[in-house]
Amino acid sequence: MLNYNKTLPDGASGWVVTEERFSNLALAKCEAVMALGNGYMGLRSAAEESYVGEKRNLFVNGTFNRFDELEVSELPNAADVTRMDIRIDGKCFSLDQGEVKAYSRSLNLREAELVRTFIWNSGDGKELEFTFRRFVSLDQLHLIGLKLEVKVLRGPVHLSVASGIDAQVSNSGSQHFHEGEKRIYDKTFLELIQTTTESKVDFVIGASHKLKVDGGTVDLAPAMEIDRRKVAVAYSLNLEEGQTLTLDKVAAVYTSRDKQFAGNYSLPAMRAEVLDVLKTAHESGYETLFSKHAAAWAKVWENYGITIESGNPFDLLGVRFALYHLVAMTPAHDNRMGIGAKGLSGEGYKGHSFWDTEIFILPFYIYSNPQIARSLLEYRYLGLEGARSKAKENGYAGAMYPWEAAWPSDGEVTPVWGAVDIVTGEQTKIWSGFIEQHITSDIAYAVWHYFRATGDVDFMEDYGYEIIFDTAVFWASRLEWNEAQGRYEINEVVGPDEYKEHVDNNAFTNYMAHFNIELAMQYYKELEQNQPELFARYNKLLNLHEAYGIWESKLDLIYLPQPNERLIIPQDDTYLQKEIIDLTPYKDQEKVGSIFNDYNLDQVGNMQISKQADIMMLFFLLENKFSPEVKRANYDYYEEKTLHDSSLSLSTHSILASDFGDKTLAYRLFQRATEIDLGPKVHSSDAGIHAASLGGIWECAVMGFAGVRMLDGQLHLAPKLPEHWDKLAFPLYWQGQRLEISITPQEISICSTAGQPVSLFVHGQLQEVQSTAIFANL
Ligand code: BGC
């Protein structure tokens, strides 16, 4: 239903996602897939005129609020600045009426601009050409620019446009804001204040409009309106045939959560700043603001630019789409914020951060922009506060990270009740917040990955070691002694495969906990020997001497499930004994979770059915602990039983397929991952795009097809390009320096841009690269 073959005005291809026919059915998909954002805020791309079924969302990162005791903290849906009510000769304009020609709604990924254009025939002889443009500035994070252009093709017409700031929105009914003050300055500058009900975050939103006819400013006093949760102006005028009206709108969004106000906040000062910024932006106008925004995006593409020469142009577009959304959703400006599982593109998962960030998205930043990777890990450092309280509340020691995280001090925010249970008719209980515990070692793993790839010692000294030590303290307190077996177990958990709840010894969880404790012991010894002062600091803070004794006594007794005679590692204690059913009817369906039309979660829990990569994830993260034979045997066994009902599944399988050298399978899975948001399934992205999968798409290309890995602190490159790819080139940061990697079926070229020597393994051979080197691709 979306077209990917359109070019930009300068002829560039592979940058445009286009909806070619207006469809009420695809409202939500286009709103999410074409969402705009700059990491500070995210704006869902609902049309200016309103439609039944639309979701108008504006989220500002980090502004979490808890609606009431029965709900968890979520990102509140701030006032809408995009809606415009347009009337032609007194009648409400809508694409549902009249005749629509030459329609297209496009997201230009290169300049991050949404453009909607069409010709509309009113049905009573009037015809108008509309163009709407919109961006969320990457240059000035607080600004949103909008532009409406209407040309009268057959007139005359009387046109009116009402536009303003509309806080009559909610999060699916939960109203997160108190009614606030509203005002219009000089008949031009609109201001609306809203404050969240529980977290008391103030939002000040300003907006202004500039009207022109045929390029000339029109001094037209608007009708002004202030209502409940709303401030607006309406411009009305007559237009002759051939005349063109343009309306530039700019909006400024600030909140008391903004870093600049931390410890130094006053509402009057924030209001003054908004007005000031708004007035300057108003003077500049859409084109000037947009060109600065486009220049900021040009830098993004210069920094992250990836080249793919493929027989299928969609491959490059799919990767660019992923990078576009990663930039739009990542709060690069503020280490107190994480990345939501749907980015900032929808209400899904409430803006909460999961292991999605550390395991699926962080690798992109570690290797493409280590500073941002560090900021994301600092967010987890700040989250130690919530993690420590969660451990305490559950009777454990150390830091037990929340499965879902919001503001760093919030602790666990996973909702308790979910979708309908088709057997009981009640809501299904969500156990993840209680017993999906692998997130704690996933974060420790990410810290280690970041450190080994970047060599950022300062980070470790200030933040990283503390995370690794205190998470290991948690795991040591979490282990359960099984007297009969003479081993430590981790029972009653949910592993990555969320279709198995309350299981004992989920292999992923046990191995990762073991990894976490082993790592803490290694760093303990290194610090004790080499950095006595730092060691003393952490010893005092976390009582490391005692912790080490406990780790040492337990580590080798942790039960790590081993391959059976068929080389299969049991996913948990009972998985392999469960019933096997034919899953064909439930695989790759229009909507994920189709198995729940026939079974409830308890029933699915009693069958060998997996939601997503579980042991496969373990093979990817701790790859040199398992032999290639074991990996392949388990892949074949478990993939058959995996529904890929989580978007986190396909990319991991694709990377493993690349590792096996199965290029066709790896490519097919990569393609399916790119289709999660961009494919024809019309409801796949209603609640927002799939952030982890987007990180996974980059991983498929760089860690899968190019075979980039950090193993034992060494960089490895072992490319296996898909058959129809002639080239894959990308930047890669390693130990603080930027490398440019370019791969063809014949050659691998590596260039260290600062001219510093680098050593790495290319197809398993240790190589020294002085500044540029070319190796044969095997
Ligand atoms: C997956 C989790 C994931 C979460 C957020 C769930 O459906 O099973 O692994 O963390 O979605 O993306």
Side-chain angles (χ1 to χ4, degrees):
M1 57 164 278
L2 294 173
N3 178 321
Y4 306 110
N5 301 322
K6 289 264 150 80
T7 52
L8 289 174
D10 63 6
S13 60
W15 292 104
V16 191
V17 174
T18 308
E19 178 195 47
E20 291 185 300
R21 202 164 48 83
F22 173 71
S23 153
N24 273 314
L25 268 186
L27 281 182
K29 176 151 182 142
C30 290
E31 286 167 6
V33 163
M34 299 192 190
L36 303 169
N38 57 19
Y40 172 79
M41 60 185 160
L43 180 64
R44 211 169 144 96
S45 289
E48 280 71 6
E49 69 283 4
S50 175
Y51 294 96
V52 173
E54 71 182 10
K55 272 230 191 292
R56 312 187 84 83
N57 284 156
L58 172 66
F59 297 115
V60 180
N61 229 326
T63 56
F64 292 100
N65 184 62
R66 191 167 185 191
F67 168 66
D68 74 14
E69 296 285 296
L70 300 175
E71 294 202 359
V72 293
S73 186
E74 69 180 322
L75 279 187
N77 186 18
D80 174 60
V81 293
T82 61
R83 181 166 171 172
M84 292 184 184
D85 291 330
I86 301 170
R87 283 171 188 268
I88 314 288
D89 295 336
K91 283 193 217 143
C92 237
F93 158 73
S94 164
L95 291 169
D96 283 334
Q97 279 147 28
E99 190 199 340
V100 184
K101 286 189 283 191
Y103 174 90
S104 88
R105 168 158 56 164
S106 294
L107 174 66
N108 162 358
L109 300 169
R110 193 178 69 184
E111 272 96 26
E113 186 183 28
L114 182 77
V115 183
R116 196 162 61 106
T117 164
F118 50 84
I119 293 170
W120 185 74
N121 192 308
S122 64
D124 44 20
K126 307 291 168 73
E127 193 164 78
L128 301 110
E129 186 177 359
F130 285 86
T131 305
F132 297 86
R133 299 179 171 273
R134 202 189 277 185
F135 67 92
V136 173
S137 177
L138 193 63
D139 171 60
Q140 258 184 293
L141 299 186
H142 299 278
L143 290 186
I144 299 172
L146 297 112
K147 189 181 189 79
L148 161 65
E149 213 172 271
V150 192
K151 181 170 183 187
V152 182
L153 301 181
R154 229 175 311 133
V157 295
H158 181 76
L159 183 100
S160 83
V161 185
S163 165
I165 310 170
D166 177 10
Q168 295 177 1
V169 291
S170 68
N171 290 56
S172 299
S174 292
Q175 178 49 261
H176 284 282
F177 294 99
H178 294 293
E179 174 69 294
E181 222 181 304
K182 290 141 291 188
R183 186 167 169 187
I184 302 174
Y185 301 87
D186 305 332
K187 294 194 163 84
T188 304
F189 301 104
L190 285 61
E191 181 194 56
L192 180 143
I193 300 174
Q194 41 181 189
T195 304
T196 56
T197 51
E198 171 263 346
S199 54
K200 303 294 176 205
V201 178
D202 292 332
F203 284 57
V204 176
I205 303 183
S208 69
H209 302 80
K210 203 189 261 177
L211 193 73
K212 287 186 180 167
V213 173
D214 292 338
T217 306
V218 182
D219 200 10
L220 183 70
M224 299 191 286
E225 185 193 359
I226 289 186
D227 203 340
R228 288 180 76 180
R229 298 175 184 270
K230 193 178 167 190
V231 50
V233 286
Y235 296 92
S236 300
L237 71 173
N238 292 316
L239 291 173
E240 298 301 324
E241 193 161 301
Q243 282 195 306
T244 301
L245 167 138
T246 56
L247 184 71
D248 278 16
K249 178 174 184 180
V250 20
V253 180
Y254 279 71
T255 87
S256 54
R257 273 272 149 96
D258 297 350
K259 206 160 194 179
Q260 72 180 96
F261 300 124
N264 175 30
Y265 171 67
S266 97
L267 179 59
M270 181 158 77
R271 285 176 79 168
E273 181 159 349
V274 172
L275 198 56
D276 200 35
V277 166
L278 186 66
K279 285 183 174 170
T280 314
H282 179 81
E283 278 313 307
S284 303
Y286 189 93
E287 273 73 22
T288 307
L289 297 172
F290 177 72
S291 67
K292 289 187 187 162
H293 159 78
W297 271 94
K299 278 204 196 106
V300 166
W301 296 113
E302 203 180 300
N303 287 339
Y304 297 155
I306 187 162
T307 305
I308 296 172
E309 288 174 16
S310 159
N312 183 357
F314 178 73
D315 297 341
L316 177 57
L317 183 130
V319 175
R320 283 177 173 159
F321 174 80
L323 301 188
Y324 163 84
H325 272 292
L326 287 169
V327 174
M329 72 176 77
T330 303
H333 62 290
D334 196 331
N335 66 354
R336 301 167 305 160
M337 294 162 196
I339 296 178
K342 302 283 185 192
L344 297 166
S345 68
E347 275 180 32
Y349 291 123
K350 304 181 186 309
H352 296 168
S353 300
F354 297 64
W355 70 318
D356 304 35
T357 306
E358 284 70 26
I359 301 301
F360 295 84
I361 298 172
L362 200 79
F364 164 68
Y365 284 116
I366 289 178
Y367 295 110
S368 313
N369 194 334
Q371 256 180 331
I372 295 181
R374 177 178 168 142
S375 173
L376 292 167
L377 290 172
E378 286 175 9
Y379 165 70
R380 290 304 194 175
Y381 176 80
L382 298 174
L384 275 173
E385 186 185 340
R388 285 175 176 140
S389 12
K390 181 172 175 188
K392 224 177 251 150
E393 280 156 25
N394 285 274
Y396 302 119
M400 179 187 195
Y401 275 99
W403 174 246
E404 294 185 26
W407 191 243
S409 53
D410 283 349
E412 185 58 73
V413 292
T414 307
V416 178
W417 299 104
V420 66
D421 176 325
I422 61 139
V423 175
T424 65
E426 294 173 351
Q427 273 188 286
T428 309
K429 183 157 181 173
I430 301 173
W431 284 96
S432 307
F434 304 98
I435 56 175
E436 188 155 1
Q437 292 161 0
H438 61 85
I439 176 84
T440 292
S441 37
D442 303 335
I443 290 169
Y445 177 94
V447 167
W448 169 76
H449 188 178
Y450 169 78
F451 177 45
R452 296 312 305 266
T454 61
D456 185 349
V457 174
D458 285 351
F459 167 78
M460 287 305 282
E461 294 185 354
D462 291 343
Y463 310 110
Y465 290 125
E466 193 171 332
I467 295 178
I468 288 170
F469 290 139
D470 224 21
T471 47
V473 168
F474 159 70
W475 283 117
S477 73
R478 174 65 180 84
L479 295 170
E480 296 158 59
W481 178 246
N482 181 330
E483 185 59 36
Q485 302 278 356
R487 66 191 190 195
Y488 283 103
E489 301 187 336
I490 304 175
N491 295 324
E492 182 63 14
V493 295
V494 180
D497 172 10
E498 293 186 343
Y499 287 173
K500 297 284 160 287
E501 295 178 329
H502 311 287
V503 296
D504 295 342
N505 298 309
N506 165 257
F508 181 91
T509 307
N510 286 22
Y511 274 92
M512 291 298 285
H514 181 274
F515 167 85
N516 197 161
I517 295 178
E518 198 177 35
L519 188 66
M521 289 173 70
Q522 179 200 325
Y523 285 143
Y524 175 99
K525 280 189 253 162
E526 280 176 23
L527 292 195
E528 191 183 34
Q529 260 177 24
N530 308 328
Q531 286 175 276
E533 271 177 33
L534 192 65
F535 177 81
R537 189 170 105 206
Y538 282 122
N539 189 28
K540 193 160 166 223
L541 183 72
L542 304 170
N543 199 2
L544 287 187
H545 269 313
E546 194 188 318
Y548 187 84
I550 301 174
W551 296 335
E552 198 172 34
S553 68
K554 294 188 174 177
L555 183 75
D556 292 339
L557 292 171
I558 297 176
Y559 169 47
L560 300 177
Q562 295 301 311
N564 64 17
E565 60 298 341
R566 286 177 299 142
L567 299 183
I568 307 305
I569 300 177
Q571 186 177 297
D572 57 59
D573 281 356
T574 51
Y575 191 99
L576 298 181
Q577 287 92 59
K578 292 179 174 166
E579 185 192 348
I580 296 179
I581 64 163
D582 175 16
L583 291 179
T584 322
Y586 308 112
K587 282 202 163 192
D588 208 6
Q589 293 305 300
E590 184 60 32
K591 266 188 130 173
V592 294
S594 60
I595 187 106
F596 296 111
N597 297 332
D598 294 337
Y599 302 98
N600 72 7
L601 192 53
D602 285 343
Q603 293 165 323
V604 171
N606 284 321
M607 294 185 267
Q608 295 196 39
I609 301 174
S610 294
K611 180 179 183 184
Q612 65 200 94
D614 188 298
I615 290 202
M616 296 313 119
M617 203 65 233
L618 186 59
F619 292 163
F620 175 45
L621 299 187
L622 301 181
E623 69 170 271
N624 44 12
K625 280 199 187 305
F626 306 92
S627 72
E629 295 73 34
V630 166
K631 287 183 198 163
R632 184 77 221 211
N634 281 273
Y635 183 102
D636 292 341
Y637 185 83
Y638 284 106
E639 201 283 330
E640 260 189 354
K641 299 163 183 71
T642 301
L643 291 172
H644 303 296
D645 274 358
S646 156
S647 66
L648 280 58
S649 198
L650 291 165
S651 57
T652 309
H653 281 81
S654 168
I655 296 165
L656 287 179
S658 280
D659 288 357
F660 304 147
D662 193 337
K663 293 182 176 184
T664 312
L665 179 63
Y667 175 71
R668 177 67 201 123
L669 291 162
F670 157 79
Q671 212 178 22
R672 281 181 63 194
T674 58
E675 285 167 358
I676 290 174
D677 286 309
L678 292 178
K681 292 179 186 167
V682 78
H683 291 300
S684 66
S685 309
D686 288 6
I689 48 78
H690 299 80
S693 170
L694 296 169
I697 288 169
W698 176 90
E699 286 188 316
C700 288
V702 172
M703 306 189 82
F705 302 145
V708 167
R709 291 305 150 79
M710 183 281 286
L711 293 177
D712 301 323
Q714 302 277 359
L715 177 60
H716 286 247
L717 204 62
K720 293 173 194 86
L721 293 190
E723 295 300 346
H724 60 288
W725 283 26
D726 292 329
K727 186 171 171 184
L728 167 62
F730 52 90
L732 190 82
Y733 283 80
W734 179 255
Q735 301 298 327
Q737 61 168 319
R738 182 180 165 109
L739 310 176
E740 299 290 344
I741 314 278
S742 175
I743 301 163
T744 67
Q746 295 77 33
E747 281 181 356
I748 302 166
S749 127
I750 300 166
C751 168
S752 125
T753 51
Q756 304 277 328
V758 60
S759 61
L760 78 166
F761 286 82
V762 179
H763 281 303
Q765 295 286 315
L766 184 60
Q767 306 284 1
E768 297 292 327
V769 174
Q770 288 311 319
S771 61
T772 305
I774 294 181
F775 304 98
N777 197 0
L778 303 176

